[in-house]
């Protein structure tokens, strides 16, 4: 029998982001940079980390993505998000636990149109000759410090980052909002992940314990954020609780489907 999440959404209602208007148009950045750390996660609390609409992976794993966009509808910004990788029906996605964004305008925009659970913070990606460094800070306190070392070039087509699923308030109801980032990297690298500091509570859930590191990746290139096409009832299996928002999304084009 498939396993489903057991997160009690009702206990989170008061703290969820509120979506005013779902995104109806795509937007682009010709220069986006991503530093992605992937870790297996202690699975003792696996089912209680995700809503009932979603299935856990076996073994449980998640990723912490740092993303810098050179352009957006509200200007340049960088964000960092912690996600639990899971499935909605047969489709892979990342359930976002929480994160940080270095722009007030972008934080509001992503919350209001995609339900992204972000707070104001500082996010940096620095490419050095010896490593690609990532840092996330809240005020004067670091909540994440890590780096990718011993990088090797790989084919950009070898990487696939799944969609994001955000638990938010929409029209007075709790819903999972699917955000569909599409990446068109010109350059990609893979290497050893090193994490020096990780404050799980700051990202939204102190129970998340990173255990076994998988290869970290870095990309640079074009990016498209597509319109919101799907929302889901978090308390029902995705096969019955998913609703298509746009029958035919009007993509701006430029990246593969």
């Amino acid at each position: 029998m498939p396993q489903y999440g057991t997160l009690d959404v009702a206990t989170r209602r008061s703290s969820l982001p509120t979506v005013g208007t779902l995104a109806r148009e795509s937007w682009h950045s010709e220069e986006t940079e991503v530093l992605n750390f992937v870790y297996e996660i202690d699975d003792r609390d696996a089912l209680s980390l995700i809503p009932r609409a979603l299935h856990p992976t076996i073994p449980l794993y998640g990723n912490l993505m740092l993303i810098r966009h050179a352009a957006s509808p509200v200007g340049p910004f960088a964000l960092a998000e912690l996600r639990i990788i899971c499935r909605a029906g047969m489709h892979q996605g990342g359930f976002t636990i929480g994160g940080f964004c270095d722009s007030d305008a972008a934080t509001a925009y992503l919350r209001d149109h995609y339900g992204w659970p972000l707070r104001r913070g500082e996010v940096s990606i620095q490419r050095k000759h010896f490593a690609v460094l990532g840092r996330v800070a809240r005020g004067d306190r670091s909540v994440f410090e890590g780096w990718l070392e011993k990088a090797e070039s790989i084919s950009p087509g070898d990487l696939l980052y799944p969609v994001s699923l955000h638990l938010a308030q929409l029209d007075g109801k709790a819903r999972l909002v699917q955000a569909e980032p599409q990446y068109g990297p010109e350059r990609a690298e893979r290497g050893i992940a090193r994490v020096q500091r990780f404050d799980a509570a700051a990202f939204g859930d102190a129970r998340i314990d990173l255990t076994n590191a998988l290869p970290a990746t870095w990309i640079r290139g074009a990016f498209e954020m597509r319109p919101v096409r799907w929302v889901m009832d978090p308390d029902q299996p995705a096969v019955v609780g998913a609703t298509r928002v746009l029958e035919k999304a009007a993509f701006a084009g430029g990246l593969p489907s």
Side-chain angles (χ1 to χ4, degrees), residues 33-35 66-68 123-127 132-134 218:
E33 187 175 12
V34 178
L35 178 58
L66 283 67
I67 308 169
R68 182 188 61 80
V123 180
S124 68
I125 301 173
Q126 292 183 300
R127 185 170 176 80
V132 184
L133 311 178
W218 171 88

Side-chain angles (χ1 to χ4, degrees), residues 69 72-80 100-111 118-123:
H69 297 296
S72 81
V74 291
F77 69 90
L79 68 85
F100 299 90
C101 180
D102 67 357
S103 161
D104 289 333
T107 300
Y109 176 79
L110 295 173
R111 179 192 62 231
L118 300 172
R119 295 187 293 162
R120 187 67 163 80
E122 301 305 316
V123 180

Side-chain angles (χ1 to χ4, degrees), residues 13 39 53 58 89 106 109 142 152 185 207:
R13 289 287 294 270
Y39 269 78
I58 301 174
Y109 176 79
S142 292
E152 296 181 352
R207 296 173 297 171

